[in-house]
Structure formats: C-alpha cells, structure tokens
Amino acid sequence: MPLAADQLLRVPLLPVLAAQGLSVRRNARFLPEPSGPREGREGRGPRLRLLIAGDSSAAGVGAGTQSQALSGCLVRELSRHYAVEWRLEATTGHTTLDTIERLQALNGQFDMAVTALGVNDVTRAVSQRVFMERQSRLLALLTGKLGARRVVVTAVPHMNRFPALPQPLAWVLGQQAARLDLGLRDVVESCAQARHLTLDLPDDPALAAPDGYHPSPKAYAVWAAEAARLLRQA
C-alpha cells in the first residue's frame, strides 16, 4: 500500500517534529489521575457488571475526581436502569498491548465493557496492521474469557484538534490517529458484540482539560451519555 502524505513528509519534517515534541513535553501540564474509587456498586434493577478499560482518558485525567470522570458519569447514567457493579482498569500511558496484558490477569466476569485506547499507540508509532491485530486480541479477551456481551469501543481521538499540539505535529499525529481509527472500525465491524463510538465534539474550549490534551468533566459527561446509549441497546 502506498504511503500517505504525512508518512512521506515525516522524514523531512523530522527535525521540526522532534523539536515540537520536546517543547510539548517541556511545557505540558501533567495532570494526575483523579482521586476516588475505581470499583463499586450503584443503582437498582437488573444486575449489570461493567468494566471500563484503557488509557489516561479512561482513567479520567482532566477531571478532579472519578465522579466527574468517565467512570463516574457512566455509572450514574446506567444506575438509573440497572444495579451496576463496576470496575475501572486504566492507567496513564497505556497502549492496547499494555491493556491486554493487564486484563489477562483479571479473573472476574463482566456483562459489558467500554474501552478507550489509541493515543499512546499513535505516539509510539504503532502501525495500523499491528494496532488492528492487538485490538482484535483485546476484543477476543473481553468477549471470551471476560464474558462481555457488549463492548463499546471508543474511537481513536482526533489528535489534530488537541489544543496542546502545534502544527505540523498536530497534523502528522492526527493523520496517524485517523488511520488507526479506520482500522479500528474494521475490527469492530467483525465482532458482533462490539460497537464503535465516535465522539464528534465541537471545538469548544470547555470540552478540553487545562492541559489541552485530555477531556474536561463536561466532555466526559457527553462521552458517558453516548456510551450508555450504546450499552443500553444491548
């Protein structure tokens, strides 16, 4: 398959991209993962065992507490209809491979799961082919050993829209993110229990955390509402 424009230009742009990457890291506001429980029970109704897994966004970076993060917002949405038993397995910096290795150690069973991965696969230059293979392995693990009958797979974010990233770094990472997400859609389509969740959020400063890299509590609430809608369809 011929290389895309961003892949062709990556070599001549390398000095600029490297300098911008160092500048972003130097000026980054490293936000901590929010405080609060990472498992619990909430609500009344039919039992729903929920797993949330992934990277820093799944862990809720950008929110002050887990109640303002994806886990808290999602549990609140679902607990209106179910007795939710939930667990969060997410860590800043984790790739798809890291998440597979983490979840392989779990012994519990879950009815539904939500995943959020891809940004760290992009920044570590994971190819589309390898990303697809690892996402397929992750879905097989979730729907096999861990028992999930519905998995909401969050799209790889539009990294070109991250306020913290300057051009042309934002463009290069955005192109790779779009490429990985295209592969992710194919992986999800091949799994009957999975659904791809695209978050088409407006360019609203209130939706970004102060670091310009992670979601804000407002964005987490929108994300959770959409994820809950897909889960309830099951």
Side-chain angles (χ1 to χ4, degrees), residues 8-95:
L8 290 169
L9 291 172
R10 204 171 287 175
V11 173
L13 285 174
L14 190 57
V16 175
L17 298 175
Q20 288 185 335
L22 288 173
S23 177
V24 168
R25 285 183 175 275
R26 186 167 54 247
N27 297 322
R29 298 178 62 178
F30 292 103
L31 300 179
E33 294 182 6
S35 61
R38 292 190 171 223
E39 59 182 323
R41 298 180 182 180
E42 189 171 331
R44 299 177 67 179
R47 183 188 190 197
L48 192 161
R49 297 167 297 178
L50 174 68
L51 173 66
I52 303 162
D55 55 23
S56 57
S57 61
V61 171
T65 66
Q66 287 295 340
S67 66
Q68 299 174 308
L70 177 64
S71 63
C73 294
L74 183 55
V75 170
R76 270 195 304 278
E77 290 278 346
L78 293 172
S79 64
R80 299 172 186 170
H81 309 278
Y82 306 97
V84 184
E85 299 175 12
W86 63 279
R87 181 176 184 131
L88 174 63
E89 294 286 342
T91 298
T92 297
H94 269 197
T95 62

Side-chain angles (χ1 to χ4, degrees), residues 182-206:
L182 193 63
L184 184 61
R185 287 175 182 270
D186 288 343
V187 171
V188 170
E189 286 180 4
S190 68
C191 178
Q193 298 101 312
R195 295 293 182 271
H196 183 273
L197 173 57
T198 300
L199 293 173
D200 191 17
L201 300 175
D203 288 320
D204 180 355

